[in-house]
Amino acid sequence: MTDAALRPLPEGMERPGVARGLLSLVRDRYLLTLLVRKELRVRYQASVLGLAWSYVKPGAQFAVFYFVMGQFLNLSRSLPPYAIFLFSGIVVINLFSEILGNATRSVVGNGALVRKIFLPRQLFPLSSVLVALVHFLPQLVILVVGALISGWRPDLLGVVAGVLGIALTLVFALGLGLLFAAINVAYRDTENTVDLILMVAVWFSPVLYNIALVRDHFGADSWLTWLYQANPLTIAVELFHRAFWWNAAEPGIRDGALVDHVMTRGVIALAVSVVLLWVGDRVFTRMSRTFAQEL
Amino acid sequence: MGSATGREAIVVDALVKRFRFRHVHSLKETVARWVRGRSENVDEFTALKDVSLTIAEGETVALLGFNGSGKSTLLKCISGVLTPDEGQVGVRGRIAGLIEVGAGFHPDLTGRENVYLNGAILGMTEAEIEERFEAIVAFSEIEEFIDQEVKFYSSGMFLRLAFAVAVHTDPDVFLVDEILAVGDEPFQRKCLDRIRSLRAEGKTLVIVSHDLNMVADLCDRGILLEHGVVVMDDEPHAVVRRMRGEA
Ligand SMILES: Nc1ncnc2c1ncn2[C@@H]1O[C@H](COP(=O)(O)OP(=O)(O)O)[C@@H](O)[C@H]1O
Ligand SMILES: [Mg+2]
């Protein structure tokens, strides 16, 4: 018997457990906030520093990169204020990494629930996004304060670039996260693959160095340069450079330091990521029908 | 086996549910399978074979059968956790699967936080949970421990709280799987009373329990599953007698 041969159900009856898309989750806002609160409570259970850990980790990361790349390898001379350049990239990578890493594990991690109770399963990757945002906001505040101290003043295009950069990172990471979360139910190799991607992500986007280095090395017309610049994460990082670093840098230094047409590229990358999110949501919805039995 | 309203609460129509076993969850295994050109059919198991039944609103049905006969699988198909491979399931109204109490409980959260989280998981709104919070805590009889983390509860306390949340969700259809053996004697009696009052309110109940005498007395219809097939659908005491080989 195929779906086409199903008899219609009596008037007023519904099929239980029909998987719906991401947009249907507006109905489950309250449950979503409780899941996010649970996640944060559990993560900082019996921890003295609690949420402060979300400052300590990027802080240490920043210090290491600043001294190794900025001082030893002398990058801070070529990209002043280098601390701002570095940190604006790091916060984007951190946001992306936390969403993708946690979303990938979210369905398997909530296996006990998925196996026993029907819930819209998109709730789990989506709550990873919200938890990551909770960690991201204080970092953003530090970035803004640091930039102000370094002589940065906000400009309209910069604010637009910042908002676009955040939107792009969220959409791109959630799109990938939905895909990987669904595949991870059947193949646990996915988690390790994602860890690998996250490990190299910081090196394959212009966080520690600027994009001119890539252009000079491969040549401006090389397909490798094209590929590097096609990475939405590269664009998100550059949008953040435009937002928080560009206005603090000397004109002689900032000219040509970023990818060209950064705003246009940002809009294109966002459009591509929205399509990816749509595909990820469809794939996740389809595969979610067998989550309960495969876990 | 009638009910007052005559409308269906649950329709199961030619339902087939299969499980596939992929023993090793790794890419290597899968690639090896593809290379050898083996289909996965070898490891397929049909847990429900063409099950059809209709349960009317207000009916209390005992789902009977030995271990592995497919009772839990059928309840999970009705609650929506599992998706049918063939056929279909239809449900009228809100449904609560008390498949396993405490499924959404987290040991690191307090009793209070767990009540809210699980109420929401089982489909209650914030206002509904707030309104019933007192009743839930009173029912569970753990007032003084409600702000303690659940990991410090005894298993009895834990199950009582979980059950209390579940029975206060106020759905139209209750699916109860092996949870009436929760806690001590007095609490069991309380649970049973609660089930009876749900029944009196006209809720639809499908109950799985190892206590055959208890369910037979409680229910007005018995359905017997054997290896994923409905083999008997009758007055519950008669079904229990057949299970025991007395008829
Ligand atoms: N997720 C699953 N994957 C594979 N097999 C399963 C799964 N769930 C149940 N089964 C199998 O389906 C059969 C019916 O199980 P179940 O419905 O739990 O029986 P009951 O509740 O009547 O004891 C059993 O043989 C069991 O091993
Ligand atoms: Mg069972």
Side-chain angles (χ1 to χ4, degrees):
Chain A
M1 193 194 262
T2 61
D3 280 2
L6 288 178
R7 271 164 290 202
L9 289 168
E11 184 72 29
M13 297 196 97
E14 276 181 52
R15 293 192 174 80
V18 174
R20 292 183 201 83
L22 209 51
L23 288 176
S24 72
L25 294 192
V26 266
R27 259 183 288 166
D28 301 287
R29 286 186 309 277
Y30 179 58
L31 178 53
L32 191 59
T33 58
L34 290 182
L35 287 173
V36 170
R37 231 181 285 167
K38 178 201 86 170
E39 191 63 39
L40 292 171
R41 276 274 278 128
V42 170
R43 186 156 343 162
Y44 298 114
Q45 185 71 28
S47 128
V48 180
L49 284 184
L51 259 177
W53 275 112
S54 63
Y55 298 83
V56 175
K57 274 187 270 178
Q61 196 183 10
F62 172 77
V64 169
F65 285 151
Y66 186 78
F67 284 108
V68 175
M69 305 302 286
Q71 305 295 316
F72 301 170
L73 298 179
N74 230 343
L75 281 171
S76 51
R77 199 88 45 87
S78 57
L79 290 168
Y82 182 65
I84 302 303
F85 184 88
L86 185 59
F87 197 63
S88 43
I90 285 179
V91 297
V92 171
I93 297 287
N94 280 348
L95 179 62
F96 176 79
S97 301
E98 192 178 351
I99 296 174
L100 184 53
N102 291 347
T104 301
R105 289 172 168 79
S106 63
V107 175
V108 172
N110 285 287
L113 212 50
V114 173
R115 259 182 285 125
K116 290 165 190 165
I117 297 177
F118 177 74
L119 288 174
R121 276 76 182 237
Q122 268 96 340
L123 279 171
F124 302 116
L126 195 59
S127 76
S128 304
V129 173
L130 298 180
V131 169
L133 275 176
V134 169
H135 290 144
F136 170 72
L137 285 178
Q139 295 180 36
L140 187 63
V141 171
I142 293 177
L143 174 61
V144 168
V145 171
L148 284 169
I149 293 171
S150 307
W152 167 82
R153 295 294 173 264
D155 63 313
L156 182 62
L157 200 60
V159 172
V160 174
V163 172
L164 192 57
I166 294 172
L168 173 56
T169 310
L170 295 182
V171 172
F172 183 51
L174 180 59
L176 286 179
L178 283 167
L179 272 177
F180 285 134
I183 299 169
N184 195 37
V185 172
Y187 304 105
R188 301 294 155 79
D189 313 64
T190 316
E191 292 181 10
N192 299 307
T193 312
V194 167
D195 286 345
L196 194 69
I197 293 173
L198 295 181
M199 199 178 73
V200 299
V202 73
W203 300 98
F204 283 124
S205 33
V207 175
L208 307 166
Y209 51 84
N210 80 348
I211 202 157
L213 222 62
V214 178
R215 264 189 315 237
D216 293 348
H217 187 81
F218 293 131
D221 298 324
S222 157
W223 66 273
L224 282 167
T225 305
W226 183 88
L227 197 66
Y228 186 96
Q229 296 182 352
N231 175 6
L233 204 52
T234 295
I235 304 305
V237 168
E238 290 293 74
L239 284 167
F240 255 53
H241 285 152
R242 174 61 190 83
F244 298 104
W245 174 79
W246 201 76
N247 246 7
E250 298 292 330
I253 291 194
R254 69 191 190 192
D255 292 336
L258 303 184
V259 71
D260 37 73
H261 311 299
V262 64
M263 299 305 285
T264 314
R265 285 179 193 272
V267 171
I268 294 170
L270 182 62
V272 170
S273 299
V274 167
V275 173
L276 176 76
L277 178 60
W278 181 79
V279 171
D281 190 31
R282 290 291 301 264
V283 170
F284 186 96
T285 302
R286 233 203 120 64
M287 290 181 77
S288 72
R289 300 160 89 199
T290 57
F291 283 173
Q293 67 204 63
E294 298 220 351
L295 277 166
Chain B
M1 292 161 264
S3 91
T5 68
R7 281 202 308 183
E8 320 83 346
I10 302 170
V11 171
V12 177
D13 179 16
L15 173 64
V16 175
K17 185 66 208 170
R18 296 187 200 93
F19 291 117
R20 278 165 288 277
F21 297 99
R22 235 188 290 110
H23 296 290
V24 182
H25 283 258
S26 86
L27 279 176
K28 192 175 134 210
E29 238 269 334
T30 313
V31 172
R33 266 174 188 285
W34 280 343
V35 171
R36 276 183 269 126
R38 295 203 58 85
S39 77
E40 295 202 291
N41 286 345
V42 238
D43 292 352
E44 220 176 60
F45 172 79
T46 309
L48 293 175
K49 300 162 190 157
D50 197 27
V51 170
S52 290
L53 48 95
T54 301
I55 294 172
E57 278 184 338
E59 257 188 316
T60 307
V61 177
L63 193 56
L64 300 158
F66 294 111
N67 275 342
S69 57
K71 305 181 295 292
S72 299
T73 304
L74 179 54
L75 289 190
K76 285 181 179 176
C77 286
I78 296 173
S79 76
V81 170
L82 293 175
T83 314
D85 290 305
E86 290 173 29
Q88 62 179 341
V89 174
V91 176
R92 192 189 305 279
R94 194 153 104 180
I95 184 160
L98 310 193
I99 308 275
E100 221 158 313
V101 275
F105 269 63
H106 201 289
D108 286 337
L109 300 182
T110 66
R112 182 185 301 274
E113 291 167 326
N114 267 309
V115 169
Y116 277 87
L117 180 58
N118 275 266
I121 285 173
L122 294 174
M124 280 197 268
T125 65
E126 187 173 9
E128 283 171 332
I129 303 171
E130 252 149 32
E131 182 194 314
R132 290 171 209 160
F133 186 81
E134 295 299 317
I136 291 171
V137 176
F139 189 90
S140 67
E141 299 168 16
I142 56 155
E143 284 91 344
E144 62 263 56
F145 304 106
I146 193 69
D147 286 311
Q148 240 175 50
E149 283 157 29
V150 162
K151 64 182 166 204
F152 299 124
Y153 284 18
S154 70
S155 62
M157 287 160 66
F158 170 81
L159 288 169
R160 261 153 42 198
L161 186 61
F163 188 87
V165 177
V167 293
H168 283 85
T169 51
D170 194 38
D172 307 293
V173 177
F174 268 102
L175 309 173
V176 184
D177 194 353
E178 308 274 13
I179 62 165
L180 295 176
V182 161
D184 48 18
E185 258 314 306
F187 191 74
Q188 272 186 36
R189 221 169 302 125
K190 197 168 169 178
C191 292
L192 222 59
D193 284 345
R194 178 73 196 177
I195 296 277
R196 286 203 189 90
S197 73
L198 288 171
R199 188 185 161 192
E201 286 167 29
K203 307 283 185 194
T204 309
L205 294 137
V206 183
I207 300 172
V208 173
S209 172
H210 273 126
D211 189 342
L212 298 180
N213 292 329
M214 185 274 290
V215 276
D217 289 341
L218 186 66
C219 299
D220 32 44
R221 177 178 168 192
I223 294 174
L224 181 60
L225 275 177
E226 253 173 38
H227 305 296
V229 180
V230 175
V231 294
M232 191 175 177
D233 185 345
D234 205 338
E235 195 280 322
H237 290 96
V239 178
V240 168
R241 275 198 300 280
R242 162 149 176 198
M243 261 185 96
R244 290 179 169 148
E246 292 166 10

